[in-house]
Amino acid sequence: MGREQQQVSYTVEQLVSVNPYNPDILTDLENYVNEQVSSQTYSLDANLCLLRLYQFEPGRMSIPIVVQILIKALMAMPASDFSLCLFLIPEQVQMEEKFKTLIVLSHYLETARFRQFWDEAAKSRSILEVVPGFEQAIQAYAIHVLSLTYQKVPRPVLAEAINIEGLSLDKFIEHHVANSGWVLEKSHGRSQLIVLPRNEFNHPELQKHTAEGVPFEHVTRIFPMLS
Amino acid sequence: MASSYDYDDASLDSRHTRPPSAGQGSAGTDQGYDPNFVPDSVKTFVVHLYRHIREKNVYEIHQMYDGSFQRLSDRMFRESPWPSVEAIAPYVDNDHVFCLLYREMWFRHLYARLSPTGRQRVESWDNYCSLFSVVLHGVVNMQLPNQWLWDMVDEFVYQFQSYCQYRAKLKNKTEEELQLLRQYDQAWNVYGVLNYLQALVEKSAITDVLEREKEGLEQFAATDGYDYEGGTSNVLKMLGYYSMIGLLRVHCLLGDYHTGLKCLAPIDISQQGVYNVVIGSHISTIYHYGFANLMLRRYVEAIREFNKILLYILKYKQFHQKSPQYDQILKKNEQMYALLAICLSLCPQNNLVEENVNSQLRDKYNEKMTKMLRYDDEAYAVYDELFTYACPKFITPSAPVLEEPLTNYNQDAYRLQLKLFLYEVKQQQLLSGVRSFLKLYSTISIGKLAAYMEVDEPTLRTILMTYKHKMHAVDGDGKIIPNADVDFYISEDIVHVVESKPTKRYGDYFLRQILKFEEMIGELDRIKMD
């Protein structure tokens, strides 16, 4: 069964790269969206292709499919896939309740308002639960933003960002200490501090300064003088 | 949001400037226009052009195409079309391909000087279909100048865009015009346009050619795409090449920036290439590339490319003053300064803009850029104005609904893109304030900074994270690219500010000085003392 699914998605990807401007592949692309949802995979190119076809033939647009595409795009953050999809959806369609909710959720994530995001997500559980893996994907995004920003992040900040508290949070942190290079520290008296792994964004000294090299072609200009 | 610039201004594409009197009536109804009358100068023109094409004298073809055609148009066909193709056909052996080429020029002249009717728009579409079909079947063996081949693709996309605008304005259409739209519903359909461009790219195998060129296995850019020795036709290959740029442009018009950039990907714009041989194609490529990157929030990339092309135009525009593309060059130049102003307001940078370009930019937009950094209502008005002025003419690709109530919806696509762009600007509203504060300190506690910015600590933390998120774009390969000139990291409660210092390019500096002194020494040696 899995093998067969593997073959279908290979064909869809081929279609998208070889023959994308073709109304006949619309149903295949819709099925592929459902498949991405159920198998927790993702293809921006295929989904943009489908949104374009909907643009060409608005009568064939399926709101549930577009909702799924947008949720998958949210899960791709920090990439700006969500805006890329919105660029292709007509204004009137974006007025639908479900889309308005998703746009609000995107807004909270873009402006790092995690507490408001998780509150709103809880209220919109019925829309979001159609896509498995949503929570984990957003938590991964939250950790990404924290890793850009903090060398040492206080526990309450982490808790709010990933919407996990108490014992579950302990377990979560333990897991990342074991697998992702996190380190626990005690801050002066108060809460725990989580030391995040070093990268070039929270440790600027690690930034590679690419401008220091000189391209070879420039050096060749003085060869005539050296001889 | 009233913008002082009228988006719907039909003469926006200044390549197609119309003299005031040509506004009345449509082509062909001008008094005294006889499509069958062929003046002697036209007779000579087509006979010579036909001969040069048959004999593959690319240089002469270019002189006639770029020079004689314009001069004759200026002298004799300022306000009327050229003679019909049926009238000139006898002078060129009724050659099928030549007639298609002539007709393409005929319609292009019509669009530039006059106002095409609905029927003429449809006929032009038919002509392009025939012309591209002939090329795609591989039966063409001419060599044509790159300028002409670029103009074909450029005009094809332009007429598509123009048609989408035309058929989206239904309110004042006559019954006859509506009937035409109903009858010829396949004309300029978006599938057709995209599939022709795609077919040209594929049939020409241009991506393979470019790959082999990279590995040194084929000459392409070195000969500007021509085959001087073998004399094989360059038409399909070059149309395929230019169609990649055409696809980028069409996708931008649809709002699909990601796919547009993918279509352009086989062309490496960090190198010289065939795309910058014809200045029109160079500018169109970079304009759309930059705009797509702006919408994808890759501001530094956009700034870099706009800077390069604006510097190029500054240096070389004087050489194009006499060319028919001059107006269009100037127009795109102005639009790209506006886009550069937008990018630099959203993502301030110190060292990416060359001195001369920067002073031009300040001349034109200093006041507006100051306003944009304030992020108040006035700022949004400026963002609105500049975006409206500089953006492509977005289109609604779907077929029109030709029933009552008939409306004008040609601005819908533009309004959506503008709305989403301003939405992004709004999300970055507080970042400018953060930046100015960060520039003042090397370290500051969260508490103190929150107090200065008059927000509570949790809000400040979200603002700082937003800054980090917005200033780190994700590129096509999923890599994170830092865009900020002022950066920071937080350790528990303290913000440590890191200002990126301009890297001193010692290597380059020494090389330049060495060359300069060598030159001076050479000059001194040459001076003979009497």
Side-chain angles (χ1 to χ4, degrees):
Chain A
M1 187 57 174
R3 227 353 228 292
E4 205 181 281
Q5 279 181 331
Q6 202 61 306
Q7 277 184 327
V8 170
S9 52
Y10 184 63
T11 322
V12 172
E13 290 287 354
Q14 269 189 324
L15 283 175
V16 167
S17 67
V18 167
N19 192 13
Y21 314 120
N22 176 5
D24 294 334
I25 67 172
L26 194 137
T27 328
D28 290 306
L29 290 172
E30 286 178 332
N31 293 335
Y32 192 45
V33 172
N34 289 321
E35 198 194 303
Q36 290 172 52
V37 167
S38 57
S39 62
Q40 298 206 39
T41 51
Y42 179 59
S43 169
L44 175 66
D45 287 328
N47 295 349
L48 287 178
C49 187
L50 178 56
L51 289 176
R52 274 200 313 268
L53 290 178
Y54 282 155
Q55 221 191 12
F56 301 164
E57 294 179 73
R60 294 177 74 178
M61 179 182 290
S62 151
I63 302 286
I65 296 277
V66 178
V67 167
Q68 285 180 305
I69 291 179
L70 285 177
I71 297 176
K72 284 302 243 181
L74 265 189
M75 290 161 66
M77 286 191 78
S80 56
D81 294 8
F82 190 81
S83 338
L84 295 184
C85 294
L86 283 188
F87 286 135
L88 294 173
I89 301 173
E91 217 173 321
Q92 302 98 302
V93 178
Q94 292 188 27
M95 298 295 189
E96 293 255 333
E97 269 321 302
K98 289 200 176 136
F99 292 122
K100 278 207 198 142
T101 310
L102 290 173
I103 291 173
V104 165
L105 288 174
S106 156
H107 177 71
Y108 287 146
L109 287 178
E110 286 284 339
T111 52
R113 291 188 172 103
F114 292 111
R115 187 174 49 78
Q116 290 96 316
F117 169 78
W118 291 113
D119 284 343
E120 187 65 37
K123 284 191 236 157
S124 324
R125 204 179 290 282
S126 56
I127 306 176
L128 298 170
E129 62 192 2
V130 288
V131 181
F134 180 74
E135 221 174 291
Q136 294 89 313
I138 303 300
Q139 285 165 340
Y141 164 67
I143 292 172
H144 158 82
V145 178
L146 290 173
S147 304
L148 288 180
T149 318
Y150 288 92
Q151 285 187 353
K152 301 184 187 182
V153 58
R155 184 187 160 111
V157 174
L158 172 65
E160 185 179 276
I162 58 176
N163 198 38
I164 306 180
E165 255 303 353
L167 283 173
S168 319
L169 181 56
D170 289 330
K171 270 227 189 78
F172 188 89
I173 296 176
E174 248 172 63
H175 172 86
H176 279 276
V177 166
N179 297 310
S180 319
W182 289 16
V183 174
L184 273 182
E185 235 182 57
K186 245 311 186 256
S187 99
H188 342 288
R190 284 168 299 153
S191 54
Q192 284 177 320
L193 277 183
I194 294 96
V195 182
L196 294 169
R198 292 160 66 89
N199 58 54
E200 63 188 279
F201 309 110
N202 61 12
H203 280 81
E205 64 268 21
L206 292 179
Q207 257 178 27
K208 305 182 258 302
H209 289 287
T210 48
E212 276 162 4
V214 179
F216 186 63
E217 306 89 65
H218 293 193
V219 179
T220 55
R221 279 188 265 150
I222 62 167
F223 280 1
M225 294 155 220
L226 295 176
S227 56
Chain B
M1 260 171 287
S3 138
S4 59
Y5 188 80
D6 183 7
Y7 180 78
D8 206 9
D9 189 14
S11 63
L12 256 187
D13 192 348
S14 63
R15 171 184 55 172
H16 299 254
T17 42
R18 301 206 299 275
S21 59
Q24 288 114 28
S26 44
T29 59
D30 243 352
Q31 57 287 64
Y33 171 62
D34 175 9
N36 295 314
F37 170 61
V38 184
D40 281 339
S41 43
V42 174
K43 216 183 294 184
T44 327
F45 175 80
V46 296
V47 167
H48 283 312
L49 185 59
Y50 178 55
R51 179 167 58 86
H52 286 311
I53 292 179
R54 271 193 351 265
E55 294 174 5
K56 297 190 184 173
N57 301 326
V58 176
Y59 180 73
E60 275 82 13
I61 299 173
H62 185 251
Q63 294 295 94
M64 295 198 69
Y65 170 80
D66 214 20
S68 321
F69 186 78
Q70 298 306 323
R71 280 194 297 276
L72 283 175
S73 298
D74 276 338
R75 212 167 11 111
M76 307 182 63
F77 304 110
R78 250 180 205 283
E79 287 169 35
S80 70
W82 277 60
S84 72
V85 70
E86 291 85 13
I88 60 108
Y91 303 112
V92 294
D93 301 335
N94 288 296
D95 185 280
H96 178 58
V97 176
F98 185 87
C99 288
L100 292 174
L101 290 173
Y102 178 83
R103 271 199 113 200
E104 199 266 330
M105 290 165 69
W106 192 94
F107 280 112
R108 209 166 345 127
H109 168 85
L110 188 80
Y111 269 81
R113 311 272 182 155
L114 302 150
S115 199
T117 63
R119 182 166 293 279
Q120 283 165 335
R121 291 175 186 269
V122 172
E123 285 169 4
S124 181
W125 162 255
D126 284 335
N127 194 55
Y128 275 116
C129 290
S130 308
L131 183 56
F132 289 150
S133 298
V134 165
V135 173
L136 285 167
H137 277 109
V139 294
V140 154
N141 67 354
M142 336 171 261
Q143 286 218 61
L144 293 178
N146 288 334
Q147 178 74 54
W148 192 345
L149 295 167
W150 162 252
D151 283 342
M152 260 191 240
V153 176
D154 194 35
E155 182 73 15
F156 180 63
V157 177
Y158 168 72
Q159 289 191 13
F160 167 58
Q161 167 197 298
S162 172
Y163 192 74
C164 288
Q165 298 278 332
Y166 165 80
R167 75 173 173 193
K169 288 195 257 198
L170 297 173
K171 249 206 307 228
N172 297 323
K173 291 256 184 304
T174 65
E175 185 50 47
E176 195 190 333
E177 286 170 316
L178 292 172
Q179 188 48 31
L180 199 90
L181 285 175
R182 272 187 211 107
Q183 191 181 3
Y184 296 107
D185 57 349
Q186 286 312 299
W188 296 110
N189 75 90
V190 65
Y191 292 113
V193 172
L194 285 168
N195 280 314
Y196 269 119
L197 292 172
Q198 176 83 343
L200 286 168
V201 172
E202 252 154 55
K203 204 74 202 296
S204 64
I206 187 69
T207 47
D208 288 338
V209 171
L210 291 171
E211 271 304 310
R212 287 204 300 275
E213 182 187 36
K214 266 196 212 137
E215 295 164 24
L217 296 170
E218 182 148 345
Q219 295 262 49
F220 181 60
T223 57
D224 285 353
Y226 297 114
D227 182 3
Y228 294 122
E229 280 148 48
T232 54
S233 173
N234 69 336
V235 173
L236 178 57
K237 207 166 31 170
M238 289 314 297
L239 284 179
Y241 185 87
Y242 288 133
S243 291
M244 288 191 280
I245 305 171
L247 282 168
L248 165 62
R249 189 170 159 195
V250 174
H251 283 284
C252 284
L253 292 174
L254 296 171
D256 187 354
Y257 308 106
H258 173 89
T259 312
L261 289 178
K262 272 192 99 176
C263 293
L264 187 72
I267 299 179
D268 182 1
I269 60 166
S270 71
Q271 306 284 340
Q272 301 277 51
V274 177
Y275 73 94
N276 56 7
V277 167
V278 174
I279 192 169
S281 100
H282 190 188
I283 291 178
S284 184
T285 306
I286 303 299
Y287 166 80
H288 289 97
Y289 178 81
F291 188 84
N293 273 287
L294 163 63
M295 299 306 268
L296 283 164
R297 306 185 211 156
R298 297 180 194 153
Y299 303 116
V300 168
E301 183 61 22
I303 292 169
R304 274 209 189 99
E305 289 305 322
F306 285 140
N307 176 57
K308 277 201 308 218
I309 187 95
L310 288 169
L311 186 60
Y312 179 86
I313 296 177
L314 201 56
K315 282 191 189 157
Y316 297 112
K317 67 177 173 193
Q318 53 185 310
F319 299 111
H320 294 270
Q321 259 168 7
K322 302 275 176 52
S323 110
Q325 290 95 23
Y326 192 58
D327 283 338
Q328 177 69 351
I329 294 172
L330 291 180
K331 178 55 184 276
K332 277 280 172 291
N333 189 49
E334 292 305 308
Q335 285 179 313
M336 288 192 284
Y337 272 110
L339 292 176
L340 185 59
I342 291 178
C343 289
L344 285 169
S345 302
L346 287 170
C347 181
Q349 295 288 320
N350 284 329
N351 306 306
L352 288 184
V353 184
E354 196 271 346
E355 219 175 293
N356 296 314
V357 173
N358 198 30
S359 57
Q360 288 276 312
L361 178 68
R362 297 289 154 190
D363 276 344
K364 297 176 207 279
Y365 289 117
N366 203 28
E367 206 188 308
K368 301 213 159 122
M369 285 176 75
T370 322
K371 283 199 190 147
M372 287 195 279
L373 284 172
R374 274 197 244 126
Y375 285 99
D376 52 17
D377 278 336
E378 225 187 319
Y380 292 127
V382 178
Y383 275 112
D384 186 325
E385 182 192 329
L386 291 183
F387 184 88
T388 303
Y389 173 68
C391 69
K393 295 243 132 330
F394 301 110
I395 56 171
T396 307
S398 53
V401 175
L402 296 170
E403 291 144 14
E404 298 292 332
L406 295 174
T407 54
N408 285 354
Y409 59 91
N410 58 313
Q411 295 225 20
D412 285 0
Y414 146 73
R415 270 203 289 265
L416 174 64
Q417 302 298 314
L418 174 67
K419 178 171 160 192
L420 292 171
F421 170 71
L422 289 175
Y423 189 69
E424 176 66 28
V425 170
K426 195 146 213 281
Q427 280 181 348
Q428 301 202 23
Q429 190 172 11
L430 286 157
L431 300 186
S432 176
V434 162
R435 219 178 132 263
S436 3
F437 274 108
L438 289 177
K439 286 185 104 146
L440 298 174
Y441 298 96
S442 55
T443 54
I444 180 171
S445 72
I446 297 257
K448 251 208 211 133
L449 185 53
Y452 290 151
M453 291 187 65
E454 295 173 4
V455 294
D456 61 24
E457 277 189 36
T459 308
L460 178 63
R461 285 186 193 272
T462 59
I463 293 173
L464 290 173
M465 282 198 284
T466 310
Y467 183 91
K468 277 292 203 172
H469 168 60
K470 291 294 188 187
M471 289 290 118
H472 288 80
V474 183
D475 79 358
D477 305 313
K479 246 180 63 184
I480 308 285
I481 316 277
N483 276 341
D485 59 340
V486 180
D487 208 348
F488 67 90
Y489 63 89
I490 308 180
S491 192
E492 193 183 347
D493 268 355
I494 311 288
V495 181
H496 301 256
V497 181
V498 182
E499 192 150 352
S500 62
K501 285 183 209 22
T503 44
K504 291 224 186 319
R505 304 179 64 103
Y506 291 118
D508 257 2
Y509 179 77
F510 281 136
L511 282 173
R512 271 207 312 271
Q513 297 303 321
I514 290 172
L515 288 169
K516 204 156 81 175
F517 287 140
E518 271 301 311
E519 213 181 296
M520 256 198 262
I521 293 172
E523 290 234 16
L524 290 171
D525 277 342
R526 279 194 286 274
I527 297 175
K528 291 188 178 38
M529 301 290 231
D530 298 313

